[in-house]
Amino acid sequence: MTDRDSGSGEWVMLTYRLPREPSAPRLALWRKLKRLGVAQLADGLVALPADARTREQLEWAAEEVEEAGGAAGVWLARPSTSALERDVAARMNEARAQEFAEIADQARGALDAPSGDRVAALRRLRAQMRRMERRDYFRPPEREQARQALRELAQHEVAQHDQTQVATWPGHGVRA
């Protein structure tokens, strides 16, 4: 069992304040934090489960805030209660679960698409899945469901490709 599983893990937090204008640095920071999958605890305060990677990512974000004329700090902290940590983790997990469910829905929806569209959807969804897995810290069940939907889409494409190949073999469909 890891610290994350036990509910007593350490978290890395970024406190930040950026000037309202120009808005580009605020928007860039918002996008970066969204890509990282942070928990927004309050205005100017976000958190991630602590490990070397998340700490480094928030340290880079803090540097970017300061370069844009703002103020930032990175903190390591432990929630005072397990319930508090479970609440933050549940909110993060819920957000990821919804995103994984959307991938699964799109993969299932692509099963009936023409082959070229199906292949394009598979590539796009696999890339999206890789990005999401990097910001998934608690692995909701929807993650495996999305993986399974992508496997089924890939297998469907292979099966359709094989049928096409057989249909074009010389003598296929010719009755003796």
Side-chain angles (χ1 to χ4, degrees):
M1 179 178 270
T2 66
D3 281 347
R4 286 183 190 167
D5 297 329
S6 68
S8 61
E10 191 169 59
W11 290 69
V12 59
M13 298 181 169
L14 170 68
T15 60
Y16 63 94
R17 188 181 52 226
L18 269 170
R20 292 254 175 237
E21 296 295 330
S23 62
R26 294 179 68 80
L27 188 57
L29 179 65
W30 179 81
R31 287 182 180 144
K32 178 178 218 139
L33 296 176
K34 185 170 173 63
R35 273 194 314 272
L36 294 175
V38 300
Q40 182 85 43
L41 301 179
D43 284 343
L45 177 62
V46 297
L48 286 172
D51 64 25
R53 183 179 64 95
T54 57
R55 183 175 175 171
E56 184 176 50
Q57 289 169 330
L58 291 186
E59 286 173 348
W60 288 339
E63 287 176 15
E64 291 172 15
V65 167
E66 291 172 354
E67 289 170 6
V74 176
W75 300 71
L76 293 174
R78 289 183 186 275
S80 59
T81 65
S82 294
L84 179 61
E85 183 173 30
R86 281 193 304 270
D87 178 58
V88 173
R91 285 188 283 143
M92 293 174 74
N93 220 17
E94 185 177 315
R96 296 299 84 75
Q98 186 174 5
E99 294 172 351
F100 285 126
E102 289 171 11
I103 284 183
D105 287 346
Q106 290 178 33
R108 290 183 197 109
L111 285 171
D112 295 328
S115 179
D117 293 345
R118 201 171 35 241
V119 169
L122 183 59
R123 286 185 183 137
R124 178 180 49 80
L125 292 172
R126 281 179 169 165
Q128 189 176 347
M129 185 76 178
R130 282 191 296 273
R131 287 190 302 270
M132 286 177 45
E133 286 179 336
R134 284 193 293 260
R135 65 177 184 245
D136 177 29
Y137 302 97
F138 302 102
R139 301 178 186 225
E142 289 81 359
R143 178 179 176 151
E144 186 51 38
Q145 294 167 2
R147 284 181 171 176
Q148 181 60 34
L150 289 175
R151 279 192 294 271
E152 290 170 7
L153 181 58
Q155 290 167 353
H156 184 72
E157 179 58 25
V158 168
Q160 293 295 314
H161 180 75
D162 289 347
Q163 284 181 349
T164 302
Q165 294 296 319
V166 170
T168 59
W169 287 352
H172 178 73
V174 176
R175 294 184 181 175

